Amino acid sequence: MNLSVLSMMAHAGWVVKLVMLVLLIFSVLSWWIIISKYFLFSRARYASEDFLADFWESKTLNNAYEAAQNFTLSPEASVFVSGFNELRKISAARSERVPTETLQSKLASMDNLKRAVRKAQLVETDRLERSLSFLATTGSATPFIGLFGTVWGILTSFQEIGAHGSASLAVVAPGIAEALVATAAGLAVAIPAVVFYNFYCNKVADFESHIENFSFDFLNLVERDMLSRE
C-alpha cells in the first residue's frame, strides 16, 4: 500500500482529481496576483517617492506637470496630472469671462477641481485594489472545496468497506488518505491567499493615505494662489 501523495492522486477518483485541479487553478492564479502585486506596489512606491521629491522642488506647477509624465506608476503623479488638466480647463474658461471674478465663482472653480482630484483618487485606489478580491475569494472558498473532496473521499472509503465486507486498515486507509490530502490542499491554497490579502489591503490603505495627503497639499496650493489673486 503506497500512501505517497502522488500515488494517492493517481489512484484517486475523478471527483477528487477534479477538486485538486480546481485547487491548483486557484493556487496558480493566487500566486500570480501575489507576485504581480508585489512588483506593482514596489514600483509605485519608488515612483511616488521620486515624483514627490521633484514636485516639491519644482518652481511652478507646469514644471511639476512635466516631471509627472515620467512617473506614470505613481498614484500621486496620476492624481496631480488629472487635477492639473482640470485646472487648465478652469483657467481656459476663466479667460473667456470678464476680468473680474467674484469669490463665489472662484469657489465654484475649486469645487470642480476637488471633484476631479477626488475622482482620480478613486481611480488610483481601484487600480491598486484590482484583483485583490480574488485572493479574498480564494481564502474563503478553497477550504470548502477541499472539504468537499474530503467528504467525497470518505464516502468512497465507505463504499470500499461495503464492497469488501471489511473495515481493515488496508481497505479504509487509501480513501481516507485521499480525503485528507484534499483538505490539506485546500488549506495550503487558502492560507497564503488570506495572508497576502490582508498584507496588500494594508498596503493599499497606506497608499490611499499618502494620496489623500498629497491631494490636500495640491488643493491648498491652488486655492491659496487662486484666492490671492484680485
Side-chain angles (χ1 to χ4, degrees):
M1 181 174 57
N2 190 350
L3 293 181
S4 67
V5 175
L6 293 179
S7 177
M8 286 186 291
M9 290 300 99
H11 294 88
W14 66 272
V15 174
V16 176
K17 288 181 179 178
L18 180 61
V19 167
M20 298 301 292
L21 177 61
V22 171
L23 292 176
L24 178 62
I25 294 173
F26 269 99
S27 180
V28 171
L29 293 177
S30 295
W31 279 106
W32 181 82
I33 293 172
I34 289 169
I35 295 172
S36 62
K37 285 297 181 182
Y38 171 79
F39 287 109
L40 172 64
F41 288 169
S42 296
R43 291 196 298 265
R45 179 169 60 87
Y46 289 124
S48 294
E49 292 175 355
D50 293 339
F51 165 70
L52 291 175
D54 287 353
F55 177 83
W56 293 114
E57 291 175 0
S58 299
K59 296 181 179 180
T60 65
L61 291 180
N62 287 323
N63 292 338
Y65 179 78
E66 294 176 359
Q69 307 304 312
N70 300 321
F71 305 105
T72 56
L73 290 177
S74 169
E76 288 89 347
S78 299
V79 169
F80 171 72
V81 168
S82 297
F84 188 81
N85 289 333
E86 181 65 23
L87 190 60
R88 279 179 169 175
K89 296 177 183 178
I90 293 172
S91 299
R94 289 172 60 189
S95 64
E96 297 175 358
R97 301 174 189 165
V98 293
T100 58
E101 285 188 296
T102 63
L103 178 61
Q104 289 76 10
S105 64
K106 291 182 178 181
L107 292 177
S109 298
M110 282 302 303
D111 287 338
N112 292 338
L113 179 59
K114 289 177 181 178
R115 283 193 293 269
V117 169
R118 180 56 182 166
K119 180 180 178 181
Q121 287 180 250
L122 295 175
V123 169
E124 288 304 305
T125 301
D126 180 70
R127 179 175 70 88
L128 294 171
E129 290 179 339
R130 195 171 301 146
S131 301
L132 289 183
S133 60
F134 184 83
L135 294 182
T137 301
T138 299
S140 60
T142 51
F144 294 101
I145 296 174
L147 182 61
F148 174 77
T150 298
V151 172
W152 194 271
I154 293 174
L155 290 176
T156 302
S157 296
F158 280 114
Q159 290 175 349
E160 291 294 327
I161 292 173
H164 291 82
S166 172
S168 65
L169 183 62
V171 174
V172 176
I176 299 297
E178 293 172 9
L180 294 178
V181 167
T183 300
L187 293 175
V189 176
I191 291 173
V194 172
V195 170
F196 281 100
Y197 172 76
N198 292 327
F199 176 76
Y200 286 140
C201 281
N202 290 331
K203 287 289 186 182
V204 171
D206 289 340
F207 273 108
E208 192 173 6
S209 176
H210 286 93
I211 294 170
E212 192 168 0
N213 290 336
F214 170 77
S215 299
F216 287 148
D217 291 337
F218 169 59
L219 291 173
N220 287 337
L221 288 174
V222 175
E223 190 168 5
R224 282 199 299 267
D225 179 70
M226 186 177 293
L227 296 180
S228 64
R229 297 180 183 180
E230 297 294 338

